């Protein structure tokens, strides 16, 4: 009996897979139809489909580094700074919506709430903490399919990611004394930033692969006479469906970002490295492990939950600059 049901399901799956659209919309969703949750703009939707999502992302940073060398608090202070950053936690609550007016184009809108907390020390060992909280830069994007092919057991898609980040996040965050906080504590970029990227997806049997490359440009100065550096990010991943409701993934993520150009004249560059425009750039390579779930039945049937943890294996920073310790991303997604 079980075998018959299984055979029927396999036949149904084989038929639906031949539909000319991503597995995501072929009627029997697989958990790995979506990339690891830390990847944005990884999938498209079918005509008329909506998706709402929530992501929680957290990055913990510990201790400074210059180039690929770890620095102690003493090392940082020896470079003439009054305060050395020792740790920083960044939390993001990202609310998103997707809508596909056609199979070819999927629009996305994302609004983040950001919570940052940083700790610094001076030569006397005195600890100082600061925190900022508020809306970050909202993003609008379109994923445009340029190539899509599906046969028996295989799906392939290539789409372009076009995005714009709006300066809804504050760049006016201050400490209790009313002095503007350093660049890493601000919530937004202060500029309209275009992003362009390319995403490739392939599904075959229980396996899937994906690759994405993205660039973000900062084209002009914000009202405080600076702009963040351009960014380039590339990632590749593979995932395997272990159950109809569970897939696991492995991923490599590489990111490079430039220094700030221009400078906020109100920041004292002797105070802390975070006030220096020329100590913000860097490169980082991370390895990620993730899991995607689809609730198979009950009231939450079809709801997706996902988790991903990323650990840096390489960091080269224009420092002293705080280095990443690890990153966590968790999310909920629901398409209708
Ligand atoms: Cu979606």
């Amino acid at each position: 009996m079980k075998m018959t049901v299984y055979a029927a399901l396999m036949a149904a799956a084989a038929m639906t897979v031949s539909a000319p659209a991503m597995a995501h919309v072929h009627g029997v969703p697989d958990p790995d139809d979506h990339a690891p949750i830390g990847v944005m703009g990884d999938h498209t939707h079918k005509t008329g489909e909506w998706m709402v999502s929530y992501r929680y992302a957290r990055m913990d940073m510990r201790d400074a580094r210059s180039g690929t060398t770890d620095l102690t608090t003493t090392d940082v202070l020896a470079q003439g700074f009054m305060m050395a950053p020792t740790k920083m936690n960044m939390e993001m609550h990202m609310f998103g919506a997707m809508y596909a007016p056609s199979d070819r184009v999927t629009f996305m809108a994302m609004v983040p709430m950001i919570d940052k907390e940083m700790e610094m020390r001076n030569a006397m060992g005195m600890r100082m903490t600061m925190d900022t909280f508020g809306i970050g830069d909202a993003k609008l994007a379109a994923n445009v399919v340029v190539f899509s092919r599906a046969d028996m057991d295989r799906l392939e898609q290539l789409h372009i990611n076009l995005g714009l980040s709006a300066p809804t996040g504050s760049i006016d965050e201050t400490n209790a004394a009313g002095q503007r906080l350093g660049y890493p504590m601000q919530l937004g970029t202060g500029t309209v930033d275009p992003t362009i990227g390319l995403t490739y997806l392939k599904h075959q049997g229980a396996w899937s692969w994906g690759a994405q490359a993205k660039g973000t440009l900062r084209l002009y100065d914000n009202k405080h006479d600076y702009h963040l550096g351009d960014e380039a990010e590339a990632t590749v991943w593979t995932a395997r469906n272990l159950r109809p409701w569970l897939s696991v993934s492995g991923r490599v993520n590489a990111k490079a970002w430039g220094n700030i150009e221009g400078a906020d004249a109100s920041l004292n560059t002797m105070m802390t490295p975070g006030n220096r425009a020329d100590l913000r750039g860097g490169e980082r390579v991370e390895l990620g492990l993730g899991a995607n779930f689809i609730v198979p039945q009950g009231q939450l049937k079809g709801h997706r939950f996902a988790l991903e943890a990323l650990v840096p294996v390489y960091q080269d920073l224009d420092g002293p600059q705080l280095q990443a310790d690890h990153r966590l991303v968790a999310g909920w997604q629901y398409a209708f």
Side-chain angles (χ1 to χ4, degrees):
M1 182 58 198
K2 267 218 164 104
M3 284 305 283
T4 325
V5 172
Y6 183 70
L9 279 173
M10 287 304 285
M15 281 188 317
T16 48
V17 154
S18 64
M22 279 316 293
H24 182 63
V25 290
H26 67 66
V28 186
D30 287 325
D32 75 338
D33 293 342
H34 289 195
I37 192 74
V39 182
M40 311 294 293
D42 61 290
H43 64 268
T44 57
H45 287 272
K46 208 180 163 84
T47 308
E49 205 174 29
W50 284 88
M51 188 185 89
V52 287
S53 65
Y54 164 74
R55 271 183 179 82
Y56 169 78
R58 177 187 177 109
M59 183 191 262
D60 283 43
M61 306 181 96
R62 291 277 176 285
D63 303 322
R65 165 176 287 220
S66 189
T68 54
T69 309
D70 293 340
L71 301 178
T72 64
T73 302
T74 314
D75 294 334
V76 176
L77 295 170
Q79 295 193 22
F81 296 104
M82 286 182 266
M83 308 285 292
T86 48
K87 60 180 180 183
M88 179 166 184
N89 302 323
M90 284 185 281
E91 286 182 296
M92 185 168 72
H93 304 271
M94 173 104 93
F95 303 89
M98 295 175 85
Y99 173 71
S102 75
D103 286 358
R104 184 162 284 267
V105 181
T106 294
F107 290 113
M108 306 198 295
M110 285 164 284
V111 179
M113 293 300 295
I114 298 175
D115 195 347
K116 294 183 171 186
E117 203 179 292
M118 190 196 267
E119 185 190 279
M120 304 203 292
R121 282 180 199 214
N122 68 9
M124 318 290 282
M126 205 179 81
R127 218 185 299 181
M128 201 177 111
T129 58
M130 50 194 68
D131 52 272
T132 53
F133 173 77
I135 190 171
D137 289 342
K139 288 177 181 66
L140 277 176
N143 300 337
V144 183
V145 178
V146 289
F147 166 79
S148 174
R149 187 176 68 184
D151 43 53
M152 279 309 285
D153 190 28
R154 195 168 66 158
L155 289 144
E156 267 187 292
Q157 177 169 303
L158 186 70
H159 62 261
I160 299 175
N161 304 90
L162 296 170
L164 266 188
S165 166
T168 47
S170 162
I171 55 168
D172 299 313
E173 296 301 304
T174 58
N175 62 18
Q179 294 160 319
R180 203 136 61 221
L181 291 170
Y183 304 108
M185 291 302 293
Q186 298 300 330
L187 301 171
T189 66
T191 49
V192 174
D193 307 325
T195 293
I196 183 157
L198 200 59
T199 305
Y200 172 76
L201 307 166
K202 180 173 177 176
H203 291 251
Q204 187 152 20
W207 288 91
S208 57
W209 299 266
Q212 183 181 69
K214 256 185 198 172
T216 300
L217 298 172
R218 272 77 193 231
L219 302 169
Y220 64 98
D221 285 351
N222 61 30
K223 63 181 179 182
H224 296 320
D225 300 318
Y226 70 88
H227 62 260
L228 299 196
D230 295 337
E231 289 178 19
E233 191 164 16
T235 187
V236 291
W237 69 91
T238 183
R240 190 177 196 284
N241 287 316
L242 297 179
R243 297 282 182 278
W245 48 270
L246 168 70
S247 66
V248 291
S249 63
R251 180 158 82 98
V252 181
N253 191 57
K255 184 175 179 177
W257 62 102
N259 275 313
I260 287 173
E261 290 181 42
D264 180 341
S266 78
L267 298 177
N268 176 354
T269 53
M270 302 291 285
M271 181 66 85
T272 164
N275 285 3
R276 285 265 299 268
D278 59 338
L279 300 181
R280 301 307 314 153
E283 292 169 14
R284 180 166 59 232
V285 179
E286 301 167 295
L287 295 183
L289 272 180
N292 288 1
F293 305 87
I294 301 179
V295 179
Q297 57 197 339
Q299 287 211 320
L300 292 179
K301 186 177 178 196
H303 288 244
R304 290 170 171 274
F305 294 90
L307 263 176
E308 191 180 24
L310 297 114
V311 175
V313 289
Y314 174 80
Q315 289 185 86
D316 186 348
L317 306 174
D318 291 333
Q321 191 183 144
L322 280 175
Q323 58 181 306
D325 188 66
H326 62 271
R327 211 148 62 86
L328 288 173
V329 188
W332 162 82
Q333 299 167 320
Y334 184 62
F336 51 93

